[in-house]
Amino acid sequence: MTKFISLFIVIFSVSLPIKAQDLTQFDFPLLIGDWYWFSPDQQEGTGTDPDVKYKAINITFSSDYQFNVKLLNSDGTVEEAKGFYDLDDSTLVLNDEYGDSQHHEYQLNHNQLMLKGARFTKILPHNLSGAWFSEVIKGKDVDEQVEKLALMLRPDFLFSVKVSGKQGQQVTHRGVYFLENDHLVLIYRGGQQDSEFQLDSNTLTLTNTDFGMEAILRRQ
């Protein structure tokens, strides 16, 4: 059993930072992604409240501390702003390209962001949600006793992953995940794992060059 736990660590575990820009080093990883707010009348499907200035707001935060905001006005026009952000545990600072700075108190979890009294929801940019089961697991550092991998990605950015061995051993982790470009980062108790992914219809390929691992999974 000890050996099997070790090979699980090879596939999905905490890894020592290799690069300064490693996503596992980012202090506020749950902020990364696309966040959306829709006015109450838009959510209800009416879209007729004349007092509502914006129909929707989209904010994108990246790991290089850049942000982009798009505001859909009630008349259908779009405003856009971008710049750099900074934050601590309670305050988010937005510094736009014109030199203006805004300080906002915020609250954050894996898929909800409260900002200026508005509730933003993180939206999954790729069709990644669902249950994925391995067809191939290979790599120089993958133990031959690994038989299969099952990965469940929920649209609310929660996940579970289970590695099964040829003799019936199983190890499971649950946590939250986030995406940036072609990177899928799993965060769970005791560690984080950053893998590159490629999605092709119902085939998901995960690679980790640090561990010498490739897994090809199909959606079921």
Side-chain angles (χ1 to χ4, degrees), residues 1-5 7 143-148 163-171:
M1 186 64 180
T2 301
K3 182 180 180 182
F4 184 74
I5 292 175
L7 58 91
D143 192 286
E144 61 181 11
Q145 294 302 312
V146 174
E147 182 176 38
K148 56 186 177 180
V163 177
S164 301
K166 294 180 180 179
Q167 298 182 9
Q169 315 97 311
Q170 292 184 345
V171 180

Side-chain angles (χ1 to χ4, degrees), residues 20 22 30 58 85 97 99 110 158 164:
D22 190 338
L30 300 186
N58 165 226
Y85 69 91
E97 56 191 326
H110 59 280
L158 297 178
S164 301

Side-chain angles (χ1 to χ4, degrees), residues 5-56:
I5 292 175
S6 298
L7 58 91
F8 179 87
I9 292 173
V10 167
I11 295 181
F12 283 98
S13 71
V14 60
S15 60
L16 292 176
I18 303 300
K19 304 175 183 178
Q21 64 268 30
D22 190 338
L23 287 175
T24 61
Q25 296 185 66
F26 192 72
D27 290 334
F28 297 90
L30 300 186
L31 186 67
I32 295 174
D34 289 308
W35 300 88
Y36 289 84
W37 170 89
F38 298 96
S39 66
D41 59 327
Q42 293 295 310
Q43 296 179 38
E44 295 167 4
T46 60
T48 58
D49 190 343
D51 296 325
V52 175
K53 183 177 180 181
Y54 301 115
K55 291 183 178 181

Side-chain angles (χ1 to χ4, degrees), residues 35-195:
W35 300 88
Y36 289 84
W37 170 89
F38 298 96
S39 66
D41 59 327
Q42 293 295 310
Q43 296 179 38
E44 295 167 4
T46 60
T48 58
D49 190 343
D51 296 325
V52 175
K53 183 177 180 181
Y54 301 115
K55 291 183 178 181
I57 301 174
N58 165 226
I59 308 179
T60 301
F61 295 101
S62 61
S63 62
D64 59 0
Y65 291 93
Q66 295 190 54
F67 75 90
N68 185 278
V69 180
K70 294 181 180 178
L71 304 102
L72 177 61
N73 294 309
S74 58
D75 62 3
T77 60
V78 176
E79 299 177 45
E80 187 170 0
K82 58 185 177 180
F84 292 89
Y85 69 91
D86 194 6
L87 74 164
D88 57 24
D89 291 333
S90 61
T91 304
L92 175 65
V93 182
L94 303 179
N95 304 289
D96 67 24
E97 56 191 326
Y98 302 107
D100 295 327
S101 180
Q102 298 182 24
H103 293 67
H104 304 295
E105 292 185 0
Y106 77 96
Q107 293 179 318
L108 174 69
N109 64 23
H110 59 280
N111 75 330
Q112 298 286 320
L113 171 66
M114 288 293 297
L115 189 65
K116 292 188 66 176
R119 184 184 299 276
F120 289 78
T121 300
K122 187 188 287 190
I123 303 297
L124 192 62
H126 303 280
N127 186 26
L128 278 175
S129 62
W132 299 91
F133 297 88
S134 62
E135 288 193 349
V136 177
I137 305 176
K138 62 183 180 179
K140 62 181 181 180
D141 294 328
V142 177
D143 192 286
E144 61 181 11
Q145 294 302 312
V146 174
E147 182 176 38
K148 56 186 177 180
L149 169 71
L151 176 64
M152 171 65 75
L153 297 173
R154 291 174 33 172
D156 61 357
F157 294 90
L158 297 178
F159 82 89
S160 65
V161 60
K162 179 170 66 176
V163 177
S164 301
K166 294 180 180 179
Q167 298 182 9
Q169 315 97 311
Q170 292 184 345
V171 180
T172 300
H173 271 305
R174 295 178 176 85
V176 303
Y177 70 95
F178 70 92
L179 306 172
E180 186 170 49
N181 301 321
D182 61 349
H183 285 260
L184 168 65
V185 182
L186 308 179
I187 305 174
Y188 49 91
R189 180 175 296 180
Q192 298 185 43
Q193 179 58 52
D194 178 7
S195 297

